[in-house]
Amino acid sequence: MAGPRRDTRGIVEARELFARVDFRRREPAPELRPYLEHYWLIDWDLPEPYASHVVPHPSVNVVFQRYGDKPPWGEVAGIGLGLFTQKLEGRGRVCGVQFRPGGFRPFAPGRPVSDWTGQRLPLADVLAGTAGADTDTAGAILGPEAEDERVAALDAFLLGLEPAADPQALRAMELVNLVRRDRTIRRVAELAEAEGVSARSLQRLFAAYVGVGPKWVILRYRIHEALERAEAAEDAAAEGGGGGTDAGVLDWAALAAELGYSDQAHLVRDFTATVGVPPTAYARQAP
């Protein structure tokens, strides 16, 4: 495995976030890598409040968090359907687990992943064998100052859940990865044809193992691509002496066509609805 992803897809104003917090990604134990994207670790000590924004991936997360002097806790965060905003202030720490799309079901095999979509729930409500352990488990994971010890604690927690082998989970993960990698797949019918199944079968598989439909996944990865391109345009503008320079101009009409939108207006509507500002305004924002 090549290591955790290095892209910033889904993070709104990534440069600004990284300037304020210490953000890292770490690999899980080898036995967990088939199911997990990575661990994500954040520490902060801020002189003034800051709001972070993320366009969620089609992934379930398990999140352990501590804010100031409040007791630590853990929760399962189902796939977020809209922009996720978190206010950070004072000192705090988060240790998160991002599952591969389709990779969470083996840890909670009793119910379809769509049951958790749009929800943030205590560990015990979702994961068997964690009743009464939210605070203790969170403290054991968040407490060590050594980052390697935190990663080891995450490994121990997840391995203790004994994920159940499930060929359908593997199939779902492979299909979502195909959508992520292959930009020529722009419609559910194209994905169904590539897999040799009906669109209805795909819908059932994605509801049970991913948590959202294949159309939602395709559209979300489009927005992630557009967001990352906008970030790159902003970086180029900054390096060229400020926003508005030619170096920071992105051809949104060409990008809309590349991502399979019917026209630029369709991309603008989706981007604005998801991120909160039109793409050209977002690309002009200075850190």
Side-chain angles (χ1 to χ4, degrees):
M1 190 170 179
R5 290 196 338 259
R6 292 184 175 273
D7 64 76
T8 61
R9 291 189 177 184
I11 302 175
V12 178
E13 298 180 354
R15 284 191 299 152
E16 188 170 355
L17 174 66
F18 296 162
R20 285 174 164 79
V21 307
D22 185 10
F23 177 94
R24 296 90 68 208
R25 293 185 178 121
R26 293 287 302 269
E27 278 191 303
E31 304 93 316
L32 295 167
R33 291 174 193 172
Y35 309 104
L36 272 58
E37 292 276 7
H38 52 250
Y39 298 140
W40 49 276
L41 312 176
I42 305 178
D43 291 273
W44 66 89
D45 188 353
L46 298 170
E48 57 186 30
Y50 169 73
S52 65
H53 308 282
V54 175
V55 178
H57 289 254
S59 300
V60 175
N61 284 258
V62 169
V63 187
F64 299 96
Q65 45 207 316
R66 184 179 68 212
Y67 295 85
D69 296 328
K70 296 179 180 178
W73 80 97
E75 63 182 3
V76 174
I79 296 174
L81 299 178
L83 185 69
F84 174 73
T85 299
Q86 178 66 57
K87 183 180 179 181
L88 306 177
E89 57 185 333
R91 299 183 65 185
R93 171 173 291 170
V94 173
C95 294
V97 181
Q98 183 174 325
F99 290 82
R100 296 185 187 280
F104 182 72
R105 179 69 183 270
F107 292 82
R111 292 171 61 179
V113 179
S114 57
D115 281 4
W116 321 123
T117 296
Q119 299 195 66
R120 301 178 69 89
L121 299 165
L123 298 178
D125 288 3
V126 183
L127 298 170
T130 61
D134 288 33
T135 300
D136 292 343
T137 301
I141 289 170
L142 295 163
E145 286 305 312
E147 184 175 306
D148 287 350
E149 292 182 24
R150 279 176 262 157
V151 170
L154 286 167
D155 285 341
F157 169 72
L158 292 169
L159 289 169
L161 296 176
E162 299 180 346
D166 188 335
Q168 289 293 84
L170 177 61
R171 182 179 176 218
M173 287 188 278
E174 290 174 343
L175 284 171
V176 175
N177 194 44
L178 178 61
V179 172
R180 180 160 52 185
R181 290 186 291 103
D182 190 346
R183 286 290 180 261
T184 67
I185 296 177
R186 300 168 176 172
R187 293 174 177 80
V188 175
E190 294 168 347
L191 182 61
E193 183 178 357
E195 179 67 1
V197 298
S198 69
R200 186 179 295 273
S201 294
L202 278 185
Q203 295 282 0
R204 289 196 295 266
L205 177 69
F206 273 60
Y209 285 88
V210 181
V212 289
K215 180 179 180 181
W216 191 95
V217 173
I218 292 169
L219 292 174
R220 180 50 53 94
Y221 280 141
R222 285 179 179 178
I223 294 299
H224 280 178
E225 177 79 13
L227 185 61
E228 189 170 53
R229 298 284 190 93
E231 290 274 358
E234 183 181 333
D235 289 345
E239 291 172 3
T245 64
D246 290 342
V249 175
L250 181 62
D251 187 339
W252 290 98
L255 179 59
E258 181 183 338
L259 296 178
Y261 282 96
S262 56
D263 53 34
Q264 181 177 348
H266 190 183
L267 168 59
V268 169
R269 286 196 298 272
D270 275 4
F271 190 102
T272 305
T274 304
V275 179
V277 295
T280 50
Y282 180 84
R284 286 196 301 267
Q285 291 176 354

